[in-house]
Amino acid sequence: ESRRTRRATMAREGWVAGPAVADVPETQPVRVDGAHGSAIVTRRGATVQAFRNACAHQGLPLDRATIDADGTL
């Protein structure tokens, strides 16, 4: 199966391809845009996570935030 075919299948099923792990710095979230809004991808060591790009308290975007040494966004 080709990369193009996999991406088309993912898009049809609502998935969005994100960045490679090596492209996600530990100090800055990476924004990923999809059909239903944006998300951020964060990395701490080998742990990679994705979140909706909105603060749960105020709804503000998180993609411009920095990540502290303790992992706090």
Side-chain angles (χ1 to χ4, degrees):
E1 181 177 34
S2 73
R3 184 180 197 141
R4 180 179 288 172
T5 301
R6 285 193 306 273
R7 284 185 180 250
T9 300
M10 288 173 59
R12 187 173 55 252
E13 294 178 0
W15 289 87
V16 176
V21 173
D23 294 335
V24 180
E26 291 198 32
T27 57
Q28 182 71 39
V30 175
R31 180 182 172 137
V32 177
D33 293 310
H36 300 288
S38 64
I40 58 168
V41 178
T42 63
R43 180 176 68 84
R44 184 171 175 149
T47 302
V48 178
Q49 297 178 301
F51 303 95
R52 192 174 125 228
N53 186 23
C55 168
H57 300 100
Q58 305 232 351
L60 300 171
L62 299 172
D63 59 311
R64 294 185 185 152
T66 56
I67 301 171
D68 294 338
D70 66 355
T72 304
L73 185 63

